[in-house]
């Protein structure tokens, strides 16, 4: 297949995803979503809880099937690829979840946790090479190679999230889906982890789909934002443009909800928001319950 560097690394085209309840009734969680991520780009995917963000991430990771539309990775149609191809893609598309404690096995040493993806999905490597790759990944997230001997419980939340990121990096992926990856961290630790992720983008050329409900977090790291509302994209543009002048009332609501260090600024922003968009909020209120 002919590929050029100008082609996006990931293209999501008109993606829809359905869930089915026990009686087989269909619920469409994602409807007609399209976006692209360029090489070395961070696209922020924002929306409130339940808007379908994780579902889009899961579809990209092959964890839920697409009911409609197409996923292209590096020009290749991966929408319905074979299980074997999907396993190979694990080395190229990785994920970091919100809760590093839940995603790290508490009785497994950090070294063994980081070696696992290499042993399962990586190229055949000698034991010494695996150890070197694990040490390299730990160094990238500013942890000493000595931590390989230790267990997740010995680390703080921020350190555990660095370990989860090291695990995602060990295969040298080209795309990392970060699903609320810093949402459970304190603001200062959040900033450190965001800086690390930015460094990898520059050093390793990795791209991110950065999923969060918190517009405040993503506005520093993403060059473009896609705003998801009830399974559909309502706005997509350069982050600065959206931040300065949100077009959709729902985006303005997310912005008003984002924590800012200055309480006065926050109060002003929330007041301005409710003046401009109270009609939108009023219209939304009753429909929320009817959805479930
Ligand atoms: N496994 C599932 N089965 C049925 N419904 C689901 C499942 N996972 C998510 N949903 C529903 O799909 C919608 C989108 O969920 P999700 O993608 O997790 O949203 P977000 O990550 O934005 O919070 C929600 O209404 C959620 O309840
Ligand atoms: Mg989610």
């Amino acid at each position: 297949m002919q590929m050029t560097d100008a082609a996006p690394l990931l293209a999501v085209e008109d993606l829809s995803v359905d869930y089915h309840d026990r009686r087989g009734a269909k619920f469409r969680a994602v409807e007609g979503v399209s976006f692209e991520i360029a090489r070395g780009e961070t696209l922020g995917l924002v929306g409130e809880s339940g808007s379908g963000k994780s579902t889009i991430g899961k579809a990209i990771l092959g964890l839920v099937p697409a009911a409609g539309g197409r996923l292209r990775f590096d020009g290749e149609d991966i929408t319905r690829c074979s299980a074997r191809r999907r396993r190979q893609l694990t080395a190229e598309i990785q994920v970091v979840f919100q809760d590093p404690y839940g995603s790290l096995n508490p009785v497994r040493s950090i070294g063994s946790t980081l070696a696992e993806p290499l042993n399962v999905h990586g190229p055949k490597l000698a034991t010494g090479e695996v150890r070197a790759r694990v040490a390299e990944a730990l160094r990238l997230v500013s942890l000493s190679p000595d931590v390989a001997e230790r267990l997740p419980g010995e680390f703080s939340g921020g350190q555990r999230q660095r370990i989860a990121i090291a695990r995602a990096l060990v295969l040298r992926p080209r795309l990392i889906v970060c699903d609320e990856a810093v949402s459970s961290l304190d603001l200062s630790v959040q900033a450190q982890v965001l800086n690390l992720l930015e460094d990898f983008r520059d050093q390793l050329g990795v791209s991110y789909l950065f999923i969060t409900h918190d517009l405040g977090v993503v506005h520093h790291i993403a060059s473009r934002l896609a705003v998801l509302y009830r399974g559909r994209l309502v706005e997509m543009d350069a982050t600065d443009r959206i931040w300065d002048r949100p077009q959709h009332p729902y985006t303005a609501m997310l912005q008003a909800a984002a924590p800012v260090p200055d309480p006065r600024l926050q109060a002003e922003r929330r007041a301005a928001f409710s003046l401009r968009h109270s009609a939108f909020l009023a219209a939304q209120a009753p429909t929320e319950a009817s959805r479930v």
Side-chain angles (χ1 to χ4, degrees):
M1 185 184 298
Q2 190 75 39
M3 285 174 232
T4 65
D5 263 5
L9 181 65
L10 178 76
V12 172
E13 300 168 4
D14 203 22
L15 175 72
S16 300
V17 180
D18 294 336
Y19 291 114
H20 301 269
D21 69 14
R22 263 180 238 148
R23 282 168 295 167
K26 185 177 92 177
F27 166 63
R28 178 143 287 193
V30 171
E31 167 89 52
V33 165
S34 301
F35 58 81
E36 293 182 348
I37 305 180
R39 286 149 224 276
E41 185 187 30
T42 301
L43 177 74
L45 179 61
V46 297
E48 67 192 331
S49 172
S51 56
K53 306 181 298 296
S54 293
T55 300
I56 292 174
K58 285 176 185 165
I60 293 166
L61 293 158
L63 302 173
V64 294
R70 218 184 284 279
L71 299 166
R72 284 182 206 281
F73 183 73
D74 203 4
E76 175 190 350
D77 187 337
I78 60 164
T79 323
R80 282 168 201 80
C81 62
S82 68
R84 182 162 170 273
R85 181 69 189 124
R86 202 19 109 167
R87 278 196 301 276
Q88 293 168 344
L89 284 168
T90 306
E92 314 215 48
I93 309 177
Q94 277 286 312
V95 61
V96 178
F97 290 111
Q98 170 167 12
D99 174 15
Y101 207 46
S103 67
L104 295 174
N105 185 338
V107 297
R108 203 158 202 202
S109 74
I110 303 304
S112 149
T113 292
L114 263 60
E116 193 201 11
L118 282 173
N119 292 328
V120 176
H121 300 288
K124 271 265 163 286
L125 294 175
T127 317
E129 290 172 305
V130 169
R131 211 176 300 127
R133 289 277 289 268
V134 167
E136 179 199 26
L138 286 171
R139 222 178 2 257
L140 281 170
V141 298
S142 307
L143 289 172
S144 146
D146 309 342
V147 312
E149 315 289 317
R150 292 159 62 185
L151 295 171
E154 300 175 49
F155 296 92
S156 70
Q159 287 170 325
R160 287 199 294 264
Q161 197 57 299
R162 281 168 197 264
I163 293 164
I165 293 167
R167 180 178 54 185
L169 286 172
V170 81
L171 288 165
R172 298 176 184 160
R174 290 192 286 166
L175 175 68
I176 303 182
V177 175
C178 295
D179 191 348
E180 305 280 7
V182 301
S183 301
S184 63
L185 305 176
D186 295 341
L187 280 182
S188 62
V189 183
Q190 251 182 20
Q192 291 167 11
V193 172
L194 290 174
N195 284 339
L196 271 180
L197 293 172
E198 276 191 305
D199 289 347
F200 304 142
R201 187 180 58 205
D202 302 337
Q203 286 169 32
L204 313 175
V206 62
S207 306
Y208 297 105
L209 177 64
F210 198 92
I211 294 175
T212 179
H213 69 281
D214 185 346
L215 202 55
V217 161
V218 79
H219 128 254
H220 296 290
I221 192 167
S223 52
R224 282 189 309 132
L225 292 182
V227 183
L228 192 66
Y229 177 63
R230 298 188 178 184
R232 296 167 186 265
L233 287 190
V234 293
E235 186 163 2
M236 181 158 53
D237 203 346
T239 304
D240 290 344
R241 268 203 292 276
I242 288 190
W243 187 256
D244 292 343
R245 186 162 276 280
Q247 294 301 306
H248 197 279
Y250 174 68
T251 314
M253 186 182 83
L254 289 177
Q255 188 187 41
V260 282
D262 179 350
R264 222 187 54 201
L265 188 66
Q266 177 121 358
E268 280 173 15
R269 211 205 262 157
R270 285 186 179 164
F273 166 75
S274 44
L275 273 178
R276 272 158 61 210
H277 301 300
S278 48
F280 170 75
L281 288 183
Q284 298 313 310
T287 43
E288 197 55 50
S290 61
R291 208 170 153 250
V292 197

